[in-house]
Amino acid sequence: MRPDHADICVLGIETSCDETAAAVVVAQPGRPPRICSNVVLSQIAEHAAFGGVVPEIAARAHVEGLDGVIEAALAQAETRLSDVDAIAVTAGPGLIGGLLVGLMTAKALAAAASKPLIAINHLEGHALSARLMAPVAFPYLMLLVSGGHTQIVLVKGPGSYERWASTIDDALGEAFDKTAKLLGLPYPGGPSVERVAASGDPGRFDLPRPLKGEARPDFSFSGLKTAVRQAAGAIAPLSQQDVADIAASFQRAIVETLEDRVARSLLRFRADFADAAAPVLVVAGGVAANRAIRTALERLCGDHGFGFLAPPAELCTDNAAMIAWAGIERLRAGLLAQEDPMTQAPRSRWPLDMSAAPLIGAGKRGAKA
Ligand code: KG4
Ligand code: ZN
């Protein structure tokens, strides 16, 4: 459906990692936002042989795919470039080659069609994506678990974030991908581990729950990865059942670690916002597709009196609808970039909360292998 006049219509572009994406989102006064198109060209096949994202291959694939993806997004939304009110593009954090492709394309379109350009932080896209589904009130907590990030962020409003917790080593998706590689399971690792874990014994291997019980709210996964390597090495060669048992034990360790770590931030939210009537945890990122993790987080939220919101997989994983929506939220909040977006350079590192102490994995996106 073509948007009518009173609506805000934004074209979003996302190229920060291995998905080439474009979307058209329309915000209508007093009505839920409408995702008119959400096109994602995944590069999984290009990277599968390498067991992870290869930055150079990703950048070339974005160059080849982006024009067609944008055309498809506009066509599906029955919208012409001249109809959109603005173009929102991911300017970071991410792989610099891919970011350059998206940002340069968006600048060219903005200049040619005389449209405002909005440079978006990819993490802000994830942080606000829940509000595309439901009118979640600020402030709320967001757990972002993807191949490049693991963090808990207090979302106070567009442009206003506090990072409460982050990984001190590997991202959670990275831990799934590395475990899958070690077990000889296909890329991307997360879905493979979840699939084989279904027929495994989660109690067979006694794997660590990193940082469990510690007062600091952060995450750590590299010790768990090492423990998996040692457990697998001790019984090699692995039978199919061994692989399933290790995957199931790993997944259980992750679930119990997340329960313990996330609970810290739920308790802090309760203490800091004692009068919040309906606190909410939203989850985003590819790992949020994992059913064992979703179920555990939903139960944990129930136990702590929190609502739990997990957007559908197509909005949890990387997409451009969340970038278009972040652009709309910024437009509505009157948040204009200090820097002219037409001269903005891509930023491989761009934490949401600039005041938070730098930690590995916080505000950085790199190759996922
Ligand atoms: O958000 P995403 O699509 O891209 C990044 O921004 O990284 O997340 C991809 C990550 C990969 O590490 C993948 O293995 C993981 O999410 N993942 C999963 C599952 N589906 C995807 N991890 C665990 N269980 C899953 N079902
Ligand atoms: Zn992402």
Side-chain angles (χ1 to χ4, degrees), residues 63-308:
V63 171
E64 283 162 18
L66 185 56
D67 289 357
V69 166
I70 292 172
E71 270 172 31
L74 288 170
Q76 281 177 28
E78 295 178 33
T79 303
R80 289 167 308 185
L81 189 58
S82 55
D83 297 330
V84 309
D85 295 299
I87 299 169
V89 60
T90 302
L95 298 173
I96 206 75
L99 290 170
L100 261 173
V101 174
L103 198 54
M104 296 309 289
T105 304
K107 282 180 184 177
L109 291 176
S114 300
K115 299 293 177 185
L117 182 70
I118 313 170
I120 299 292
N121 182 317
H122 177 86
L123 303 175
E124 179 162 58
H126 279 302
L128 299 175
S129 63
R131 285 165 50 85
L132 256 175
M133 306 306 308
V136 191
F138 299 118
Y140 58 85
L141 281 179
M142 177 201 46
L143 170 69
L144 174 59
V145 278
S146 69
H149 311 284
T150 304
Q151 46 188 290
I152 295 180
V153 173
L154 176 71
V155 183
K156 295 189 283 189
S160 182
Y161 305 93
E162 275 176 35
R163 197 190 73 215
W164 280 11
S166 180
T167 179
I168 58 173
D169 41 55
D170 293 349
L172 182 52
E174 201 178 346
F176 268 97
D177 292 337
K178 286 177 176 169
T179 294
K181 208 169 181 178
L182 199 115
L183 296 176
L185 298 171
Y187 171 85
S192 307
V193 169
E194 181 175 18
R195 194 178 54 251
V196 301
S199 54
D201 171 8
R204 178 164 163 205
F205 295 93
D206 186 21
L207 300 172
R209 276 66 174 148
L211 300 183
K212 187 171 179 186
E214 290 202 17
R216 69 182 297 182
D218 296 313
F219 303 90
S220 165
F221 299 107
S222 72
L224 180 54
K225 178 188 65 192
T226 307
V228 167
R229 187 182 309 117
Q230 285 165 349
I235 56 163
L238 302 179
S239 69
Q240 225 176 336
Q241 192 56 50
D242 292 334
V243 168
D245 291 347
I246 293 174
S249 303
F250 167 80
Q251 192 168 272
R252 177 178 281 182
I254 293 290
V255 162
E256 290 183 11
T257 302
L258 282 179
E259 284 170 344
D260 176 74
R261 304 286 73 216
V262 174
R264 296 269 152 196
S265 292
L266 299 187
L267 291 172
R268 176 173 171 194
F269 189 96
R270 277 265 177 235
D272 288 9
F273 301 97
D275 49 0
V280 172
L281 173 77
V282 308
V283 68
V287 184
N290 185 290
R291 268 152 303 165
I293 292 175
R294 271 182 188 242
T295 307
L297 289 173
E298 194 162 12
R299 195 176 44 233
L300 181 76
C301 283
D303 291 349
H304 285 77
F306 272 67
F308 176 69

Side-chain angles (χ1 to χ4, degrees), residues 273-358:
F273 301 97
D275 49 0
V280 172
L281 173 77
V282 308
V283 68
V287 184
N290 185 290
R291 268 152 303 165
I293 292 175
R294 271 182 188 242
T295 307
L297 289 173
E298 194 162 12
R299 195 176 44 233
L300 181 76
C301 283
D303 291 349
H304 285 77
F306 272 67
F308 176 69
L309 196 73
E314 67 271 19
L315 292 179
C316 268
T317 54
D318 287 350
N319 66 87
M322 71 181 189
I323 302 303
W325 175 245
I328 289 171
E329 292 257 37
R330 283 198 157 251
L331 280 176
R332 280 177 160 174
L335 285 176
L336 300 172
Q338 289 159 344
E339 200 178 336
D340 176 2
M342 290 303 274
T343 60
Q344 168 132 15
R347 304 170 67 170
S348 58
R349 213 191 132 70
W350 187 3
L352 262 188
D353 177 355
M354 300 299 269
S355 67

